Amino acid sequence: MDWLRPLRFGRDTAWLYSSAAIVALAGFIKIRQGVTDYVYSETHCYQSVRTNSPDEPYVNCFSVSPSGKFSKVFQAESQNASSGFAMPGLWDGHGHLLSYGEFLNSVDLFGSTSMDDVRSRVRTYVRQHQVGSKDEWVRGVGWDQMALGKMPTANDLAVDEELKDLYIMLDRVDVHCIWVSQAVLNLLPESIPDVPGGEIVREPGMGVFCDNAMDMVMALWPKPDSKKKQQFLKSAMGKLNEVGLVGVHDAGATPDNLRLFKNLAGNDDWSVRVYAMLECYERNRFCPDEIERYTSSDGFLSIQSVKLFADGALGSWGSALIDPYTDRPDTSGSLLVNATELVYDTIAWANEGFQVNIHAIGDLANRYAMDAIIAALRLLCPDEPLSVCQSYHRFRIEHSQIIHPDDQGRLHAIGIIPSIQPTHATSDMAYAEKRLGGERIAKEAYRMRSLLDASPVLGSDFPVEPPNPFQGIYAAVTRRSPHTGRGVDDSPDGWHTEEALDLDQAIRGFTEGPAYGGFTKGKTGVIKPGAYADWIVLDAPLEEGMDFETLRSLKVRETWVAGRRVYSRDG
């Protein structure tokens, strides 16, 4: 009958009682939270709800708990449904949050077709904002030498009396080159040597710096302070919510900016979930002491990945190719880091527990990125298959734009995640074949459908492209420009449609893809109990058989994040 005797209270039994009390308290708290969620949940019903869940693909109602998560998803036989069609909130798998906010507060040069057009836009902005001093340069983004007819120079700005003495720095459309005024050039030494991994464009004149050569100018640029950055973030998030985006993979944020994010995340103006990629103050460096891995309890900010850069961009002949450019056989592009250093940085960051995401556009850059990732995986999991190890760490290649067939095989076998921007294909199609030739385009470039088994992450690369995910979906399913509705050379046919996605695949690329690639599978990109209550409302459902042309001008009715409406078309 010893079991009837009360336990003697001693050191061991004290631990037992206290442990039992903790378990009981935890259980009580969990039950109380569950009761609170049940009592105070809000139910939303619509004409239809796409869930992205295989168990219940379509329902018409869901409930949202006070904690900002879905608590119940169900089909109601009779309900007072709000008009509209709901679906999971969309994510952009590769964007630049602060750069986009700065773009919204700078000169918009996208679509400029002549030097006069550029000068007119800059003049108008200067008159409205009184900028251009040494302490506050004129900033802008969106020029393209292909549209301007030649590579611009500082003198092209100096010929304008209103602009000739101003400090001006304008980013190329791909933000891999900057065009500066003579006032900025005067801050640099008279003799400027060539820069490894970069290009100083000297003909037809000075004024343009690309890739690593940009650093010397960026070091002189008076950086915006925290107050201005906060304004940029608010502007950017408002615009992203307007097009149905509830989250973004921020592809490169410095430690200072990440500390600002941590201070701001969760306040009322922070209306977009951010999966941030750390970028050291100096690219392609190992700086783990600058910032710690971090994930907020409410899911609004996660810092657990790093951005490395293998090469530049195709439009400025900066992407690193195995063979020379077809239209410039004197060059094969630029590696921003040598292969050995890329392997070292990848392994070092992986050992610190960071997901490594490598910018790679050209086929040589993609090859070296895969070499680095495979080297890291072999060290991380010496006794496991590479594909299993990759499923834990989910290393990515940002852009994955031109991949040699041999390396496509490695990507498939290991499951290296391609991060793809569908509108890059439709923007680049005007000159891509000139750069690469027909054979490389057909075998290597702008793959989507053939990479589906690697769980691609879809995005836009805003502000390089507009952040509107419906334009990205349109480009993915039609392989036509969302701006014109046409293919290459104004053709009514899509460009290499063998790589087009179907509508469901494209939607999942902007929902499930970023969730898997950002370690939030089951929490984002889906409407199910326990997931974050992020959804959008449309006037009509996205479904096979719809007129894809309507995607080009689609307007979101409402955007909700954590159960809070952050955008309404009706005000």
Side-chain angles (χ1 to χ4, degrees):
M1 303 292 287
D2 287 344
W3 58 274
L4 288 173
R5 296 174 186 169
L7 286 170
R8 294 183 61 188
F9 194 81
R11 185 168 55 187
D12 294 339
T13 52
W15 175 87
L16 180 62
Y17 282 128
S18 61
S19 297
I22 291 170
V23 171
L25 180 60
F28 173 73
I29 292 172
K30 187 172 183 180
I31 291 170
R32 187 175 67 177
Q33 182 65 53
V35 171
T36 301
D37 287 349
Y38 177 78
V39 173
Y40 294 102
S41 288
E42 291 186 357
T43 295
H44 301 260
C45 294
Y46 297 96
Q47 291 169 266
S48 176
V49 176
R50 175 189 169 121
T51 68
N52 268 5
S53 172
D55 297 332
E56 294 180 290
Y58 288 91
V59 295
N60 58 11
C61 294
F62 52 75
S63 298
V64 178
S65 72
S67 60
K69 296 180 179 180
F70 294 113
S71 57
K72 187 179 180 182
V73 177
F74 59 100
Q75 182 71 30
E77 293 185 7
S78 61
Q79 30 79 25
N80 295 319
S82 300
S83 62
F85 298 81
M87 64 179 291
L90 301 173
W91 279 65
D92 193 304
H94 184 112
H96 302 274
L97 200 54
L98 270 172
S99 296
Y100 182 53
E102 185 180 5
F103 158 69
L104 294 171
N105 293 273
S106 66
V107 188
D108 182 355
L109 299 176
F110 285 96
S112 53
T113 56
S114 67
M115 296 295 180
D116 284 340
D117 187 4
V118 170
R119 288 188 288 261
S120 174
R121 296 191 197 194
V122 175
R123 273 198 313 270
T124 300
Y125 187 85
V126 168
R127 291 170 184 169
Q128 291 173 346
H129 297 88
Q130 302 299 307
V131 292
S133 69
K134 189 175 181 180
D135 295 325
E136 191 171 9
W137 297 7
V138 179
R139 294 287 283 118
V141 62
W143 63 269
D144 186 348
Q145 81 277 4
M146 303 297 288
L148 299 180
K150 73 180 188 77
M151 192 65 79
T153 68
N155 191 58
D156 290 318
L157 297 170
V159 296
D160 190 296
E161 282 294 318
E162 290 186 53
L163 306 180
K164 67 177 183 178
D165 296 323
L166 300 183
Y167 293 82
I168 303 171
M169 183 167 71
L170 309 173
D171 291 29
R172 191 184 180 276
V173 62
D174 57 13
V175 300
H176 279 265
C177 295
I178 50 176
W179 167 19
V180 300
S181 63
Q182 187 61 48
V184 174
L185 284 181
N186 292 342
L187 299 175
L188 297 168
E190 284 190 23
S191 178
I192 306 173
D194 291 338
V195 177
E199 182 180 8
I200 300 169
V201 180
R202 303 179 191 273
E203 296 294 338
M206 292 289 289
V208 172
F209 300 77
C210 298
D211 294 315
N212 285 354
M214 296 163 56
D215 294 346
M216 67 179 78
V217 180
M218 298 301 292
L220 301 170
W221 170 51
K223 309 295 188 295
D225 59 19
S226 293
K227 184 177 180 181
K228 188 161 285 187
K229 288 179 182 177
Q230 192 168 344
Q231 175 190 342
F232 292 164
L233 289 168
K234 183 177 180 180
S235 298
M237 289 187 173
K239 285 294 186 181
L240 298 182
N241 292 151
E242 186 177 329
V243 295
L245 289 168
V246 301
V248 60
H249 290 190
D250 192 15
T254 63
D256 276 349
N257 290 337
L258 290 175
R259 283 188 280 272
L260 176 66
F261 288 7
K262 287 176 71 173
N263 290 334
L264 298 176
N267 68 25
D268 286 345
D269 289 334
W270 192 273
S271 57
V272 173
R273 298 188 190 277
V274 176
Y275 181 78
M277 304 178 199
L278 166 65
E279 182 181 333
C280 298
Y281 295 114
E282 187 178 354
R283 282 181 173 180
N284 295 320
R285 290 295 180 265
F286 182 53
C287 60
D289 295 336
E290 296 286 349
I291 196 77
E292 294 180 349
R293 292 173 65 208
Y294 170 81
T295 299
S296 63
S297 59
D298 58 10
F300 272 99
L301 177 63
S302 178
I303 305 168
Q304 56 178 318
S305 64
V306 66
K307 176 86 173 290
L308 302 177
F309 293 81
D311 67 346
L314 184 73
S316 49
W317 297 278
S319 57
L321 301 178
I322 296 170
D323 297 313
Y325 280 85
T326 300
D327 61 345
R328 271 192 62 183
D330 60 309
T331 184
S332 298
S334 302
L335 285 168
L336 304 189
V337 60
N338 65 53
T340 302
E341 189 174 350
L342 186 60
V343 169
Y344 167 79
D345 288 338
T346 301
I347 291 172
W349 282 112
N351 280 331
E352 289 290 323
F354 281 77
Q355 177 195 44
V356 180
N357 305 330
I358 304 175
H359 165 113
I361 291 181
D363 51 10
L364 182 62
N366 274 281
R367 174 165 292 177
Y368 286 169
M370 289 188 209
D371 289 345
I373 287 171
I374 290 169
L377 291 172
R378 283 178 174 151
L379 288 174
L380 289 167
C381 311
D383 300 321
E384 293 191 82
L386 292 178
S387 59
V388 174
C389 191
Q390 166 63 7
S391 71
Y392 306 150
H393 298 280
R394 302 181 195 177
F395 297 143
R396 296 164 43 166
I397 298 181
E398 303 302 310
H399 306 305
S400 300
Q401 208 157 298
I402 307 156
I403 309 174
H404 189 277
D406 293 347
D407 299 312
Q408 291 176 40
R410 294 199 293 170
L411 183 147
H412 289 295
I414 299 166
I416 296 171
I417 298 174
S419 175
I420 300 169
Q421 298 74 49
T423 48
H424 279 351
T426 56
S427 291
D428 292 1
M429 65 185 178
Y431 61 80
E433 194 153 338
K434 294 185 181 75
R435 295 283 190 275
L436 300 173
E439 185 175 355
R440 269 188 294 199
I441 289 289
K443 293 181 178 180
E444 301 188 24
Y446 303 97
R447 324 301 278 182
M448 281 190 289
R449 176 177 287 275
S450 59
L451 299 182
L452 273 175
D453 63 319
S455 302
V457 174
L458 300 188
S460 68
D461 199 15
F462 65 77
V464 174
E465 303 279 356
N468 191 322
F470 300 101
Q471 292 186 4
I473 292 171
Y474 176 86
V477 299
T478 68
R479 303 279 286 196
R480 296 194 295 267
S481 167
H483 308 298
T484 65
R486 312 290 284 182
V488 69
D489 295 331
D490 201 38
S491 167
D493 301 321
W495 188 58
H496 287 280
T497 53
E498 69 275 7
E499 286 296 329
L501 305 181
D502 66 33
L503 181 62
D504 183 68
Q505 291 163 346
I507 292 171
R508 293 182 188 277
F510 283 93
T511 50
E512 291 180 349
Y516 179 76
F519 298 94
T520 56
K521 186 176 180 179
K523 293 182 179 180
T524 65
V526 64
I527 295 176
K528 72 174 190 177
Y532 296 126
D534 307 334
W535 74 93
I536 60 174
V537 183
L538 307 177
D539 293 320
L542 302 186
E543 55 190 7
E544 294 294 346
M546 68 177 291
D547 181 2
F548 290 151
E549 294 304 308
T550 62
L551 291 168
R552 296 173 53 207
S553 57
L554 187 150
K555 304 294 183 185
V556 172
R557 178 179 288 190
E558 293 178 349
T559 302
W560 295 70
V561 178
R564 179 170 70 96
R565 187 167 58 189
V566 296
Y567 168 75
S568 173
R569 192 177 63 205
D570 299 329

